[in-house]
């Protein structure tokens, strides 16, 4: 009877006219399976707080050079290298990264101001030397100017092309045609600046004559081992003349 009662709790008999109160609920509670999604209470200590991350030991060092571990005379490359190395070592630690970056930015600005000051001082020294120079040197500087970089490169390319052309045709003949074209180009450029064809012609011819004379003196001193067999004295002298023509039409005024 007891086994029958346990197998069928809802069974109603003359001895048990009604259900046993609370028995079904007790059974369900006793045999309820544990849920897999049950959450375990976590302590605040279990939360990662960055305690295992390496901390920058010089984070509070006031001297920025010492903070980055470099000398006060370090170059910008050394400053960059120290900064990158330290950031890799202490990556993830916010306070360490901020301290390293702050020191790096201050040193970079200091280096920039130093370079700017040196540049200004160099200009001031050059200007002072020019003012203290003899009168003939000041008059010579009045004939010289510094054009934009694009003008310099264009004219340098032109005369370098003339020199290469002369070298390529050295086996066939002399560089007379290339020298004539270079002289005409020099006079043309000078005439654009001076607005005087006579003055441009004088400067151009003077540059050609100076280059040719200097080339005739210097080229024979070069050892023959360094000279290509097909390169003649006339060719090498014309290369020197091209250089003088370039200087005249670019920097003279």
């Amino acid at each position: 009877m007891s086994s029958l009662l346990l197998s069928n709790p809802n069974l109603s008999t003359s001895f048990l006219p009604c259900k046993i109160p609370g028995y079904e609920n007790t059974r369900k509670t006793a045999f309820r399976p544990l849920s897999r999604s049950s959450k375990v209470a976590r302590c605040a200590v279990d939360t990662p707080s960055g305690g295992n991350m390496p901390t920058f030991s010089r984070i509070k060092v006031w001297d920025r050079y010492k903070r980055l571990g470099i000398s006060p005379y370090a170059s910008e490359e050394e400053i960059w290298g120290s900064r990158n190395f330290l950031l890799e070592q202490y990556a993830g630690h916010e306070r360490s990264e901020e301290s390293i970056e702050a020191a790096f930015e201050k040193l970079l600005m200091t280096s920039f101001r130093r370079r700017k000051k040196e540049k200004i001082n160099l200009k001031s020294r050059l200007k002072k030397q020019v003012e203290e120079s003899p009168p003939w040197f000041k008059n010579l500087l009045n004939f010289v100017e510094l054009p934009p970089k694009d003008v310099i490169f264009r004219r340098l390319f032109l005369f370098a092309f003339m020199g290469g052309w002369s070298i390529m045709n050295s086996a066939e003949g002399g560089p007379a045609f290339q020298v004539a074209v270079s002289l005409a180009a020099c006079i043309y450029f000078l005439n654009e600046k001076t607005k005087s064809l006579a003055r441009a012609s004088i400067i151009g011819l003077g540059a050609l004559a100076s280059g040719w004379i200097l080339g005739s003196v210097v080229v024979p001193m070069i050892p023959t081992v360094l000279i290509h067999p097909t390169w003649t004295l006339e060719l090498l002298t014309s290369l020197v003349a091209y250089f003088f023509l370039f200087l005249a039409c670019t920097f003279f005024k």
Side-chain angles (χ1 to χ4, degrees), residues 2 37 42 46 54 58 77 127 168 172 174-175 195 224 248:
S2 59
S37 62
R42 297 181 63 185
D46 297 336
R58 300 188 297 272
E77 290 77 12
K127 186 177 180 180
M168 291 176 63
E172 300 178 2
K195 305 301 180 183
T224 56

Side-chain angles (χ1 to χ4, degrees), residues 19-40:
K19 299 178 181 178
I20 299 175
Y23 174 77
E24 185 177 359
N25 295 335
T26 305
R27 185 186 178 194
K28 289 181 180 180
T29 305
F31 297 99
R32 181 180 299 171
L34 293 175
S35 174
R36 292 185 180 180
S37 62
S38 58
K39 297 182 179 179
V40 181

Side-chain angles (χ1 to χ4, degrees), residues 78-161:
E78 293 173 334
I79 296 173
W80 275 95
S82 177
R83 175 250 187 192
N84 295 336
F85 174 75
L86 292 174
L87 286 180
E88 288 179 2
Q89 270 196 327
Y90 302 101
H93 194 272
E94 186 176 355
R95 289 189 60 196
S96 298
E97 291 178 347
E98 289 177 356
S99 177
I100 295 167
E101 287 286 7
F104 166 73
E105 291 174 1
K106 290 289 184 181
L107 292 182
L108 207 61
M109 288 299 298
T110 303
S111 177
F112 172 74
R113 292 194 193 99
R114 187 189 301 123
R115 286 190 290 106
K116 189 175 181 181
K117 187 177 180 180
E118 289 175 356
K119 189 176 180 180
I120 294 173
N121 291 338
L122 179 61
K123 289 182 178 180
S124 302
R125 288 197 298 269
L126 289 175
K127 186 177 180 180
K128 186 177 180 180
Q129 289 181 359
V130 170
E131 291 175 353
E132 295 176 354
S133 59
W136 65 267
F137 185 74
K138 293 180 181 179
N139 295 331
L140 182 62
L141 290 179
N142 292 331
F143 294 96
V144 180
E145 67 174 0
L146 184 63
K149 290 183 179 180
D150 57 338
V151 175
I152 296 175
F153 285 123
R154 283 201 301 266
R155 294 180 184 176
L156 180 62
F157 174 78
L158 172 63
F159 289 98
F161 174 77

Side-chain angles (χ1 to χ4, degrees), residues 183-222:
L183 176 61
C186 179
I187 294 174
Y188 172 78
F189 293 139
L190 286 168
N191 185 43
E192 281 188 335
K193 291 190 293 184
T194 61
K195 305 301 180 183
S196 173
L197 183 60
R199 182 175 179 178
S201 302
I202 292 172
I203 295 175
L205 291 171
L208 177 62
S210 301
W212 203 272
I213 293 171
L214 182 64
S216 302
V217 174
V218 174
V219 169
M221 299 180 183
I222 302 175

